[in-house]
């Protein structure tokens, strides 16, 4: 009975155990297209996602990721309202047509107007009387308000340029440019304000042509929820979140599966479920109609699950086992955790993943919410596992460790990672590495990387040979710095 278990025991591999074999190629790295799916309905130009962790992804990180064509998943170690606030900030960062337009009336006092502009961070508002557009008032009008002017009526511009609600974007841009105005209210047949186009949003759009955006031109953002948090999932959907990521250490759990079944009925945005590491778990989750699978039990840099619980599957094997099933159903696979180098991303996708999720690398960037610290003259940023004692105690997460009421068995550690600069620079290096790898394989796109790539298994001597050796490094290239610990 016991010896049987070892008779046909499988070997499982991870990133450091394998390399991709170079092939005859007609593909130059600059010609490579790395776009891929994060979930059934979300395609990313850069299939890299930042982890829902409290030292990695809040609104600043999510915006920076989406602007570069990638995606951020807001963590859930905060109240529902705080999380909704972060989602709202990302969705409001860029838009082409603002639908939920804030307005004032001619009778609004200048003090109230100032308050609205400050608290809502808006530079100009349409003025409506009844429901009709009668003017527009901007920060500049406020600056010149002067004495004796007490209400919006005294300072607003009455000859307001507006456009019909269904005006094509190009025409709207032309009106903005021709009239040198910042804001163009859109009105319906009855003169009611039903939308607003701003020059700032148009400029942003032109500045980030590769950004991940929804059909309204707003940046894409995902948010994590606990497996039983149906209320939070619905509230996030209402706020306009683009994907719900179910965040649990073990999604192949019957209570979790039952809850996902319920969530599927309540939520219509894409649901990505995880984490899992086996083909059976993939089958069970796909049967619940989820839109993506998050793979990785214990590979993360801050994870101690494998040490504490003795559980896990080395990541390359976990990805390929799950992808074998998922690919048949057209469900994207996200390789989550354990990625230290851009080469690992190439290996993850060659093994069957559609996108990758990274914590440690992004925790070190300027846009992460973690605190900065200096150690031995070098800048670091805090990074901790969501199953670390610190994260469990300060937050409301139930991902790991709550055994008993006030005692915890941590499944993660707390620490710091070297500062790595801005997210756009890091993403440039990561995608550059991907393109290079795909060039060696002869893969023009992610689909070809999956089908054309071949692996070799390497030994510990092969691994040693792979990293710089027999040299004292005096000048680290930027990408090498990103990967240093
Ligand atoms: P990297 O290697 O990119 O991994 O830093 C990030 C991923 O690790 C997972 N995660 C944890 N796993 N205990 C764990 O076993 C933890 O405390 C923990 N916190 C995060 C998560 O999947 C994340 O995306």
């Amino acid at each position: 009975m016991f010896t049987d278990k070892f008779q046909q025991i499988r070997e499982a591999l991870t990133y450091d155990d394998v390399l991709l074999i170079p092939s005859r190629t007609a593909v130059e790295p600059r010609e490579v297209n790395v776009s891929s799916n994060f979930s059934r309905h979300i395609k990313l130009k850069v299939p890299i996602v930042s982890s829902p962790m409290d030292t990695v992804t809040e609104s600043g990180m999510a915006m920076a990721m989406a602007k570069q064509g990638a995606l951020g998943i807001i963590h859930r170690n905060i109240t529902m309202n705080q999380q909704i606030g972060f989602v709202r900030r990302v969705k409001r960062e860029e838009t082409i047509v603002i639908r939920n337009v804030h307005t004032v009336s001619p009778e609004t006092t200048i003090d109230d107007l100032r308050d609205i502009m400050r608290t809502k961070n808006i530079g100009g508002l349409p003025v409506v009387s009844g429901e009709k557009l009668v003017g527009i008032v901007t920060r500049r009008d406020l600056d010149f308000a002067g004495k004796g002017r007490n209400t919006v009526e005294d300072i607003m511009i009455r000859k307001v340029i507006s456009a019909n609600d269904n005006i094509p974007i190009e025409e709207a841009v032309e009106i903005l440019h021709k009239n040198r105005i910042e804001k163009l209210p859109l009105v319906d047949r009855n003169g009611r304000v039903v939308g607003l186009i701003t020059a700032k949003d148009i400029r942003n759009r032109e500045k980030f042509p590769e950004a991940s955006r929804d059909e309204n031109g707003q940046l894409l953002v995902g948010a994590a929820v606990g497996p039983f948090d149906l209320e939070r999932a619905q509230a996030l959907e209402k706020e306009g979140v683009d994907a719900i990521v179910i965040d649990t250490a073990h999604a192949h759990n019957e209570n979790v599966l039952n809850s996902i079944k319920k969530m599927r009925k309540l939520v219509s945005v894409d649901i990505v479920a995880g984490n899992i590491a086996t083909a059976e778990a993939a089958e069970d989750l796909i049967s619940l109609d989820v839109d993506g699978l998050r793979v990785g039990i214990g590979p993360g840099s801050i994870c101690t699950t494998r040490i504490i619980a003795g559980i896990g599957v080395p990541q390359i094997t976990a990805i390929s086992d799950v992808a074998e099933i998922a690919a048949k159903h057209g469900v994207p696979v996200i390789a989550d955790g354990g990625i230290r180098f851009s080469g690992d991303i190439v290996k993850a996708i060659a093994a069957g993943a559609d996108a990758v999720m990274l914590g440690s690398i992004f925790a070190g960037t300027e846009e992460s919410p973690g605190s900065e610290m200096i150690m031995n003259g070098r800048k670091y940023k805090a990074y901790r596992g969501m199953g670390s004692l610190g994260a469990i105690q300060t937050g409301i997460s139930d991902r790991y460790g709550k055994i008993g009421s006030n005692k915890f068995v941590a499944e993660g550690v707390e620490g710091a990672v070297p500062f790595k600069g801005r997210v756009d620079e890091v993403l440039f290096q990561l995608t550059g590495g991907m393109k290079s790898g795909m060039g060696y394989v002869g893969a023009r796109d992610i689909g070809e990387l999956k089908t054309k790539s071949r692996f070799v298994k390497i030994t510990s001597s092969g691994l040693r040979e792979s990293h710089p050796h027999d040299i004292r490094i005096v000048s680290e290239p930027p990408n090498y710095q990103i990967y240093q610990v």
Side-chain angles (χ1 to χ4, degrees):
M1 167 189 176
F2 295 112
T3 49
D4 287 356
K5 291 183 189 176
F6 300 96
Q7 225 91 101
Q8 294 189 336
I9 193 164
R10 274 178 78 196
E11 184 178 56
L13 303 170
T14 192
Y15 296 118
D16 276 356
D17 297 321
V18 293
L19 281 171
L20 288 159
I21 302 174
S23 303
R24 178 173 172 147
T25 182
V27 179
E28 297 300 333
R30 63 173 184 280
E31 303 164 356
V32 165
N33 175 354
V34 298
S35 69
S36 180
N37 273 75
F38 162 74
S39 57
R40 263 197 240 254
H41 305 101
I42 297 185
K43 193 166 178 139
L44 300 174
K45 296 217 173 75
V46 174
I48 301 178
V49 184
S50 63
S51 293
M53 300 171 72
D54 61 8
T55 46
V56 180
T57 314
E58 290 183 349
S59 48
M61 175 65 67
M63 288 180 212
M65 293 292 287
K67 283 178 182 172
Q68 301 303 319
L71 183 71
I73 311 296
I74 308 280
H75 73 90
R76 65 182 177 95
N77 212 22
I78 39 179
T79 64
M80 184 170 90
N81 283 339
Q82 286 170 318
Q83 196 184 20
I84 285 173
F86 286 137
V87 168
R88 185 177 302 149
R89 220 174 284 167
V90 182
K91 295 309 285 183
R92 284 201 142 232
E93 168 75 359
E94 274 189 21
T95 182
I96 293 304
V97 181
I98 299 167
R99 286 293 169 197
N100 192 2
V101 187
H102 293 289
T103 57
V104 284
S105 77
E107 296 79 39
T108 306
T109 65
I110 303 255
D111 283 348
D112 285 351
L113 175 66
R114 237 184 221 119
D115 253 18
I116 296 170
M117 284 184 171
R118 190 172 41 79
T119 53
K120 307 233 182 276
N121 194 19
I122 306 179
L125 295 121
V127 185
V128 295
S129 176
E131 288 197 319
K132 276 206 168 143
L133 179 68
V134 294
I136 191 156
V137 62
T138 68
R139 264 201 195 116
R140 262 186 39 207
D141 304 319
L142 250 186
D143 291 344
F144 295 109
K147 278 205 181 115
R149 298 177 179 222
N150 304 320
T151 62
V152 165
E153 190 162 24
D154 299 333
I155 59 166
M156 71 184 197
I157 292 166
R158 285 159 206 275
K159 254 179 93 186
V160 51
I161 297 166
S162 63
N164 210 299
D165 183 29
N166 43 24
I167 184 172
I169 294 295
E170 299 71 39
E171 277 179 40
V173 172
E174 217 174 294
I175 296 179
L176 288 166
H177 284 183
K178 216 171 88 198
N179 296 286
R180 299 182 182 198
I181 51 174
E182 278 289 316
K183 292 184 193 285
L184 181 68
L186 303 181
V187 291
D188 67 7
R189 258 196 269 134
N190 303 318
R192 274 188 321 205
V193 180
V194 288
L196 184 72
I197 296 181
T198 77
K200 178 177 147 239
D201 289 327
I202 304 281
R203 282 195 296 272
N204 270 340
R205 193 184 167 79
E206 286 161 2
K207 215 157 97 197
F208 300 108
E210 301 291 297
S212 311
R213 295 192 170 95
D214 63 18
E215 65 282 358
N216 292 325
Q218 293 173 306
L219 296 175
L220 294 184
V221 60
V225 301
F228 307 109
D229 211 342
L230 306 182
E231 190 197 348
R232 191 181 280 238
Q234 285 174 283
L236 286 161
E237 174 170 50
K238 213 165 142 216
E239 197 55 52
V241 82
D242 299 284
I244 298 284
V245 174
I246 296 175
D247 188 41
T248 165
H250 186 33
H252 203 199
N253 162 308
E254 294 198 0
N255 289 326
V256 171
L257 293 173
N258 286 333
S259 184
I260 293 177
K261 202 172 181 176
K262 288 187 201 141
M263 198 180 288
R264 178 71 289 175
K265 291 200 180 110
L266 296 171
V267 164
S268 53
V269 288
D270 276 7
I271 295 179
V272 169
N275 281 26
I276 59 168
T278 64
E280 298 79 43
E283 297 264 17
D284 286 347
L285 284 171
I286 289 170
S287 75
L288 300 179
D289 202 20
V290 299
D291 304 292
L293 297 169
R294 193 173 158 203
V295 177
I297 307 266
S301 58
I302 30 54
C303 301
T304 53
T305 297
R306 293 184 186 170
I307 310 301
I308 301 302
I311 298 295
V313 178
Q315 190 67 343
I316 283 280
T317 297
I319 295 168
S320 65
D321 283 1
V322 168
E324 197 65 34
I325 305 297
K328 288 187 194 132
H329 295 86
V331 177
V333 169
I334 300 134
D336 173 22
I339 287 176
R340 293 182 295 153
F341 312 105
S342 52
D344 294 342
I345 302 180
V346 188
K347 293 175 191 176
I349 294 173
D354 296 271
V356 291
M357 183 178 272
L358 280 59
S360 154
I361 287 184
F362 292 123
T365 60
E366 214 167 280
E367 291 85 346
S368 76
S371 51
E372 285 182 14
M373 55 193 96
I374 306 282
M375 291 192 283
N376 296 329
R378 197 168 172 187
K379 192 150 116 182
Y380 286 79
K381 286 196 86 167
Y383 181 44
R384 65 183 185 188
M386 296 312 295
S388 67
L389 274 189
I392 302 173
Q393 281 166 343
T394 56
I396 52 164
S397 177
D398 51 6
R399 188 175 156 115
Y400 307 90
K402 278 200 179 149
I403 295 176
S405 55
N406 269 326
K407 287 205 171 143
F408 309 107
V409 179
E411 288 187 26
V413 294
E414 296 170 65
V417 288
F419 183 70
K420 297 176 166 71
R422 289 201 321 259
V423 161
D424 61 339
E425 288 161 359
V426 170
L427 281 172
F428 177 80
Q429 294 297 338
L430 294 177
T431 48
M434 286 172 75
K435 289 179 180 176
S436 173
M438 290 165 74
Y440 281 108
V441 169
R444 267 172 219 289
D445 54 38
I446 296 295
E448 285 191 4
L449 174 57
K450 289 185 187 181
T451 51
K452 287 190 171 173
S453 52
R454 294 167 300 151
F455 282 104
V456 276
K457 192 175 139 194
I458 64 173
T459 61
S460 57
S461 331
L463 179 62
R464 209 174 324 123
E465 184 184 66
S466 299
H467 287 263
H469 52 85
D470 302 305
I471 181 170
R472 185 174 289 268
I473 295 176
V474 288
S475 162
E476 290 176 344
N479 56 352
Y480 203 70
Q481 282 167 17
I482 291 172
Y483 310 132
Q484 291 303 295
V485 184

